[in-house]
Amino acid sequence: MSRFGGIRVVVVGGAGGIGGRIAERFAEEGADVLVLDLLRGADPALGGASSAGPGRGIRHCDLVDAVSVEAAFAVALAELGGIDVLVNSAGILARGSLLDLAPERWDLVMDINARGTLFAMQHAARAMIDQGAGGTIVNIASMAAKAGGGDEGAYAASKAAVVGLTRAAALEWGEHLIRVNALLPGYVLTDMGKDTRTDEDVATWSKKSPLGRLGTPDDVAGFALFLASVDGEYLTGQSFNVTGGMIMH
């Protein structure tokens, strides 16, 4: 399929998990995709190419470091020739009581999940404005932004910030034909969490959905591609629950 033939896509946090599947799906449908992700031991100058799969390249990007983000987007613009779609999928989870949450742990979660998302949005939006043809930004938040989440207070707060950024950016950049939306996944079965989840965990979480199952990366990826397609042209500033009915508001 070539639904996205000629479309230039940057996926931040696309080396694996939900972001990885989104990058794969765009590539499968004809897009020119570049993944920006944290590569341990990478050359800060981002020299050399490495592969993230068919139709995808991957370059180093440390969301905690504003200079690294700026350099990564400079490389993306040079290699792709512009940006039509940005997907922000990077994030970390910090578990534990808010009463015991250390300041440095709070800062790290907010720096990556919220501040890093803002930096990526800024660089992509500037490119889209310069191009003069608009574009699409899809931010991957979490149902924790609405539901809180007992021992995930910092994570929930950071993802609520992403929802707020999505709305603010949609209002500010709409005049440039830039659409900004957020996806709020529920429990999604990714390889990243397979070492810590049990069959009992999966069964318990599945009962939270009226559909009786957990989400898959494809469930989220399909919606992300819809938002970036012509079928999603009149959607902006929205936060869509991709939770199998676990959240209905």
Side-chain angles (χ1 to χ4, degrees):
M1 293 185 290
S2 58
R3 178 167 49 148
F4 293 101
I7 299 299
R8 301 158 299 186
V9 179
V10 172
V11 181
V12 179
I18 291 172
R21 187 56 186 139
I22 291 172
E24 288 174 352
R25 287 284 301 275
F26 271 114
E28 288 166 3
E29 298 202 28
D32 192 3
V33 181
L34 190 67
V35 168
L36 303 181
D37 213 320
L38 185 64
L39 301 177
R40 299 296 181 185
D43 181 351
L46 303 176
S50 47
S51 174
R56 294 184 295 150
I58 183 169
R59 301 292 180 271
H60 175 69
C61 181
D62 182 356
L63 289 177
V64 175
D65 182 355
V67 174
S68 176
V69 178
E70 182 177 6
F73 273 88
V75 168
L77 285 169
E79 294 194 10
L80 295 176
I83 300 174
D84 303 304
V85 177
L86 168 69
V87 179
N88 281 308
S89 187
I92 63 168
L93 172 64
R95 295 187 182 277
S97 166
L98 286 174
L99 287 173
D100 302 318
L101 184 65
E104 59 271 18
R105 190 61 174 165
W106 167 270
D107 289 344
L108 181 62
V109 173
M110 296 300 291
D111 281 351
I112 293 176
N113 295 2
R115 184 169 172 260
T117 294
L118 171 61
F119 289 159
M121 290 169 65
Q122 287 175 329
H123 290 295
R126 290 179 188 130
M128 292 172 182
I129 291 169
D130 288 344
Q131 291 159 196
T136 300
I137 296 174
V138 179
N139 295 322
I140 308 300
S142 168
M143 75 174 183
K146 292 184 177 181
D151 63 346
E152 301 173 0
Y155 179 75
S158 70
K159 292 301 187 177
V162 170
V163 171
L165 282 171
T166 297
R167 293 171 178 164
L171 285 169
E172 186 173 328
W173 301 336
E175 65 180 293
H176 302 290
L177 303 181
I178 298 173
R179 298 184 297 104
V180 190
N181 292 288
L183 296 183
L184 280 59
Y187 293 103
V188 177
L189 289 171
T190 63
D191 289 339
M192 183 171 58
K194 67 182 179 182
D195 293 333
T196 58
R197 66 175 179 255
T198 65
D199 291 342
E200 184 179 358
D201 290 333
V202 173
T204 299
W205 297 336
S206 295
K207 291 178 182 177
K208 298 178 183 292
S209 166
L211 301 178
R213 70 171 179 87
L214 302 186
T216 69
D218 265 310
D219 291 324
V220 185
F223 208 148
L225 267 68
F226 165 75
L227 289 174
S229 75
V230 295
D231 295 319
E233 282 186 341
Y234 200 54
L235 297 172
T236 195
Q238 304 304 306
S239 299
F240 297 98
N241 302 322
V242 189
T243 67
M246 294 181 191
I247 296 286
M248 293 189 180
H249 60 82

